[in-house]
Amino acid sequence: SPTSTDLLHSINSLAQVTHMSKSLTELRSECTVELPMLWFTAGSPIWQWDSEEVSAWIKTVENGRFKYLVLPPRTTGKMLLQLSSQGLADMFEQSLRAARGQGEGEAWNETATGAIGAAHIGRRLFEAVRREAMHWQGGEEYLQDAQR
């Protein structure tokens, strides 16, 4: 069946059957495959992106690693390049933030804790932003200028 609920039901049924037989339990294995659900192809360098392009990119970069991050409204590529890794991390440590769309008010933004804390997320996003800039001609020079 093509629906996701049918697939989950089939997986659950197979798991139950394998638990009923010791020989099947010993043969059981699992495999996880990451499939991108969205695709983004940039038509211009990151420093020229508007907020819509940044939003599309953030959902797809590194196979969707940052897809649940909510950036402040109207965040452009140029703005991302001007932030440090700590500056990016600070965006995710606010307890209340403006929601994505105009007129949506505020939304709760849970503080990241533990091994995947805000500093770690900020550092990883910082690296991804820089890698994206380096894909474009003049990217290295632009990064040097942005840090001044």
Side-chain angles (χ1 to χ4, degrees):
S1 296
T3 68
S4 59
T5 54
D6 291 339
L7 177 62
L8 291 172
H9 181 268
S10 297
I11 291 170
N12 187 43
S13 296
L14 289 169
Q16 295 300 320
V17 168
T18 57
H19 288 306
M20 289 185 217
S21 167
K22 185 175 181 172
S23 61
L24 288 177
T25 301
E26 293 169 356
L27 295 174
R28 185 172 180 246
S29 66
E30 291 184 23
C31 175
T32 302
V33 178
E34 301 268 344
L35 297 175
M37 300 304 284
L38 299 171
W39 190 259
F40 173 74
T41 304
S44 60
I46 187 172
W47 54 88
Q48 295 176 357
W49 293 354
D50 61 20
S51 59
E52 289 179 16
E53 290 168 304
V54 168
S55 179
W57 175 78
I58 203 81
K59 293 174 188 169
T60 60
V61 69
E62 292 189 23
N63 295 321
R65 173 184 297 276
F66 307 109
K67 65 183 167 230
Y68 297 115
L69 294 182
V70 179
L71 297 175
R74 295 175 292 284
T75 300
T76 65
K78 185 175 181 178
M79 293 165 69
L80 286 178
L81 286 167
Q82 292 172 343
L83 290 170
S84 65
S85 62
Q86 185 59 48
L88 288 167
D90 290 345
M91 285 197 295
F92 310 115
E93 288 197 353
Q94 301 167 358
S95 59
L96 204 58
R97 57 145 174 86
R100 288 181 193 223
Q102 293 178 342
E104 289 184 12
E106 295 179 323
W108 190 255
N109 190 23
E110 187 174 331
T111 301
T113 58
I116 306 178
H120 178 72
I121 293 169
R123 189 169 46 254
R124 294 298 300 260
L125 183 55
F126 178 81
E127 292 165 0
V129 167
R130 263 101 193 114
R131 272 194 306 278
E132 179 63 37
M134 293 301 288
H135 287 197
W136 296 92
Q137 184 176 0
E140 186 173 354
E141 294 83 17
Y142 192 89
L143 288 174
Q144 291 171 353
D145 291 342
Q147 296 303 307
R148 291 182 191 155

